[in-house]
Amino acid sequence: MGEVRSRRVFFAVWPDQEAVGHLAALGGNLAGSEGRLIRPAALHLTLVFVGSVTPTQVDQLQEIAAGVRAEAFDLSLDRLGFWPQRGILWAGCNQPPEPLRRLAESLAAALRAAGLVIDQRSGSALVPHITLARRVRCASLPQLATPVRWRVSEFSLVESDLHQSAARYKTLASFPLNQVDAG
Ligand code: 2AM
């Protein structure tokens, strides 16, 4: 009706193919018959949830993200978690790596400085996690014998299209992280 359609967006990192395989298998083994598994192609770790924005703000978000300087890092998901309220089964870190914290905080700070209102669970309050399944009725979680690892060398601005019960995600833009020599 002449209105500019708002778009629901967030910043995230995507696991590589091998990690997706491990995560999908974990979800499949643990979600139980009631759980609704996240499709493998939709598995991601949110850095900052922004929410509904106008197309102009999408451009602004891309400019802000392009200005964030952070280093690439190895991510190792070494724990499973469960949030009973909505039955969220997730994979995350016992001790989130510093570069992940710095990336989420820098991004959140840059967005706030530009006057954008972002979810309180973002930035320093972030509990980094990949949701594996929803509506799970879970009693006990095994220790992860082998962590799920991958190298995070970019982050992305993602649009979430709420389609019936499952969200569809579309990467709008990706931003490289700086490669630093360990030596
Ligand atoms: P979740 O997997 O724990 O639901 C897209 O919705 C992504 O943004 C999901 O990874 C979701 O986390 C995360 N997210 C963070 N804050 C959110 C909010 N306030 N509303 C919806 N999704 C949020």
Short mmCIF file of all heavy atoms in Angstrom, two decimals, residues 8 10 44 46 49 83 86 88 119 121 129 131 134 160 169, ligand 1:
data_model
loop_
_atom_site.label_atom_id
_atom_site.label_comp_id
_atom_site.label_asym_id
_atom_site.label_seq_id
_atom_site.Cartn_x
_atom_site.Cartn_y
_atom_site.Cartn_z
N ARG A 8 13.76 -7.74 8.13
CA ARG A 8 14.21 -8.22 9.43
C ARG A 8 15.63 -8.75 9.24
O ARG A 8 15.83 -9.71 8.48
CB ARG A 8 13.26 -9.34 9.83
CG ARG A 8 13.29 -9.76 11.23
CD ARG A 8 12.07 -10.65 11.46
NE ARG A 8 12.00 -11.08 12.83
CZ ARG A 8 12.59 -12.17 13.27
NH1 ARG A 8 13.26 -12.95 12.46
NH2 ARG A 8 12.49 -12.48 14.55
N PHE A 10 19.87 -9.41 10.71
CA PHE A 10 20.81 -9.63 11.81
C PHE A 10 22.20 -9.92 11.25
O PHE A 10 22.34 -10.18 10.04
CB PHE A 10 20.32 -10.77 12.73
CG PHE A 10 20.16 -12.10 12.05
CD1 PHE A 10 21.15 -13.06 12.13
CD2 PHE A 10 19.01 -12.41 11.33
CE1 PHE A 10 21.00 -14.31 11.51
CE2 PHE A 10 18.84 -13.65 10.71
CZ PHE A 10 19.84 -14.59 10.81
N HIS A 44 23.43 -21.18 11.94
CA HIS A 44 24.26 -19.98 12.00
C HIS A 44 24.43 -19.55 13.45
O HIS A 44 23.66 -19.96 14.32
CB HIS A 44 23.58 -18.84 11.23
CG HIS A 44 22.29 -18.44 11.88
ND1 HIS A 44 21.11 -19.10 11.64
CD2 HIS A 44 22.01 -17.48 12.80
CE1 HIS A 44 20.15 -18.57 12.39
NE2 HIS A 44 20.67 -17.58 13.11
N THR A 46 24.42 -16.11 15.61
CA THR A 46 24.11 -14.67 15.54
C THR A 46 25.09 -13.85 16.38
O THR A 46 25.38 -14.21 17.52
CB THR A 46 22.66 -14.43 16.02
OG1 THR A 46 21.77 -15.04 15.08
CG2 THR A 46 22.33 -12.96 16.12
N PHE A 49 21.50 -9.12 16.77
CA PHE A 49 20.18 -9.13 16.16
C PHE A 49 19.69 -7.69 16.05
O PHE A 49 19.64 -6.97 17.05
CB PHE A 49 19.19 -9.96 16.98
CG PHE A 49 17.85 -10.06 16.33
CD1 PHE A 49 17.64 -10.94 15.28
CD2 PHE A 49 16.81 -9.26 16.74
CE1 PHE A 49 16.40 -11.03 14.65
CE2 PHE A 49 15.56 -9.33 16.12
CZ PHE A 49 15.37 -10.22 15.08
N TRP A 83 17.64 -24.35 26.44
CA TRP A 83 16.81 -23.33 27.08
C TRP A 83 15.39 -23.87 27.09
O TRP A 83 14.73 -23.94 26.03
CB TRP A 83 16.91 -22.01 26.32
CG TRP A 83 18.24 -21.34 26.51
CD1 TRP A 83 18.98 -21.31 27.66
CD2 TRP A 83 19.00 -20.61 25.53
NE1 TRP A 83 20.16 -20.62 27.46
CE2 TRP A 83 20.18 -20.17 26.16
CE3 TRP A 83 18.79 -20.27 24.20
CZ2 TRP A 83 21.16 -19.42 25.50
CZ3 TRP A 83 19.75 -19.53 23.54
CH2 TRP A 83 20.92 -19.10 24.18
N ARG A 86 11.48 -22.33 25.40
CA ARG A 86 11.01 -22.61 24.03
C ARG A 86 11.63 -23.88 23.48
O ARG A 86 11.61 -24.14 22.29
CB ARG A 86 11.30 -21.41 23.13
CG ARG A 86 10.34 -20.22 23.42
CD ARG A 86 10.57 -19.07 22.47
NE ARG A 86 11.91 -18.53 22.60
CZ ARG A 86 12.71 -18.26 21.58
NH1 ARG A 86 12.30 -18.44 20.35
NH2 ARG A 86 13.92 -17.78 21.78
N ILE A 88 14.83 -24.79 23.24
CA ILE A 88 15.93 -24.53 22.30
C ILE A 88 17.15 -25.40 22.65
O ILE A 88 17.71 -25.26 23.75
CB ILE A 88 16.38 -23.05 22.36
CG1 ILE A 88 15.21 -22.09 22.18
CG2 ILE A 88 17.53 -22.78 21.39
CD1 ILE A 88 14.81 -21.83 20.78
N ASP A 119 19.13 -5.56 19.81
CA ASP A 119 18.65 -6.43 20.88
C ASP A 119 19.63 -6.45 22.06
O ASP A 119 20.84 -6.51 21.88
CB ASP A 119 18.47 -7.85 20.33
CG ASP A 119 17.73 -8.74 21.29
OD1 ASP A 119 18.38 -9.35 22.15
OD2 ASP A 119 16.50 -8.80 21.19
N ARG A 121 20.38 -8.73 23.97
CA ARG A 121 21.20 -9.94 24.09
C ARG A 121 22.42 -9.90 23.17
O ARG A 121 23.14 -10.87 23.04
CB ARG A 121 20.36 -11.18 23.74
CG ARG A 121 19.33 -11.50 24.77
CD ARG A 121 18.52 -12.69 24.30
NE ARG A 121 17.55 -12.31 23.29
CZ ARG A 121 16.97 -13.18 22.47
NH1 ARG A 121 17.27 -14.44 22.53
NH2 ARG A 121 16.09 -12.76 21.59
N HIS A 129 25.71 -18.83 20.35
CA HIS A 129 25.15 -20.18 20.20
C HIS A 129 24.63 -20.40 18.79
O HIS A 129 24.30 -19.44 18.09
CB HIS A 129 24.00 -20.39 21.20
CG HIS A 129 22.80 -19.54 20.92
ND1 HIS A 129 22.72 -18.21 21.30
CD2 HIS A 129 21.63 -19.82 20.28
CE1 HIS A 129 21.56 -17.73 20.92
NE2 HIS A 129 20.87 -18.68 20.29
N THR A 131 21.54 -22.41 17.26
CA THR A 131 20.34 -23.17 17.57
C THR A 131 20.28 -24.39 16.64
O THR A 131 20.35 -24.23 15.41
CB THR A 131 19.08 -22.29 17.39
OG1 THR A 131 19.17 -21.22 18.33
CG2 THR A 131 17.80 -23.08 17.65
N ARG A 134 14.33 -26.50 17.81
CA ARG A 134 13.38 -25.83 18.69
C ARG A 134 12.32 -26.83 19.14
O ARG A 134 12.16 -27.88 18.53
CB ARG A 134 12.71 -24.67 17.97
CG ARG A 134 13.71 -23.62 17.48
CD ARG A 134 13.00 -22.45 16.78
NE ARG A 134 13.96 -21.68 16.01
CZ ARG A 134 14.73 -20.71 16.49
NH1 ARG A 134 14.61 -20.36 17.76
NH2 ARG A 134 15.59 -20.06 15.72
N SER A 160 16.13 -12.24 7.41
CA SER A 160 15.30 -13.36 7.84
C SER A 160 13.89 -13.12 7.35
O SER A 160 13.29 -12.10 7.61
CB SER A 160 15.34 -13.42 9.37
OG SER A 160 14.23 -14.12 9.85
N TYR A 169 16.66 -17.67 5.40
CA TYR A 169 17.73 -16.69 5.57
C TYR A 169 18.40 -16.40 4.24
O TYR A 169 18.66 -17.31 3.46
CB TYR A 169 18.76 -17.22 6.57
CG TYR A 169 18.19 -17.50 7.93
CD1 TYR A 169 18.32 -18.75 8.51
CD2 TYR A 169 17.50 -16.52 8.63
CE1 TYR A 169 17.77 -19.01 9.76
CE2 TYR A 169 16.97 -16.77 9.87
CZ TYR A 169 17.10 -18.02 10.43
OH TYR A 169 16.56 -18.28 11.66
P1 2AM B 1 17.88 -17.97 18.31
O1 2AM B 1 18.41 -18.97 17.33
O2 2AM B 1 18.34 -18.24 19.70
O3 2AM B 1 16.38 -17.79 18.19
C1 2AM B 1 17.41 -14.87 13.69
O4 2AM B 1 16.23 -14.78 14.38
C2 2AM B 1 18.58 -15.07 14.62
O5 2AM B 1 18.69 -13.96 15.54
C3 2AM B 1 18.51 -16.31 15.48
O6 2AM B 1 19.82 -16.84 15.56
C4 2AM B 1 18.06 -15.81 16.83
O7 2AM B 1 18.53 -16.57 17.90
C5 2AM B 1 18.73 -14.45 16.88
N1 2AM B 1 18.10 -13.48 17.76
C6 2AM B 1 18.72 -12.80 18.74
N2 2AM B 1 17.88 -11.94 19.32
C7 2AM B 1 16.68 -12.08 18.71
C8 2AM B 1 15.39 -11.45 18.86
N3 2AM B 1 15.18 -10.50 19.76
N4 2AM B 1 14.40 -11.87 18.07
C9 2AM B 1 14.60 -12.85 17.16
N5 2AM B 1 15.78 -13.45 16.94
C10 2AM B 1 16.82 -13.08 17.71
#
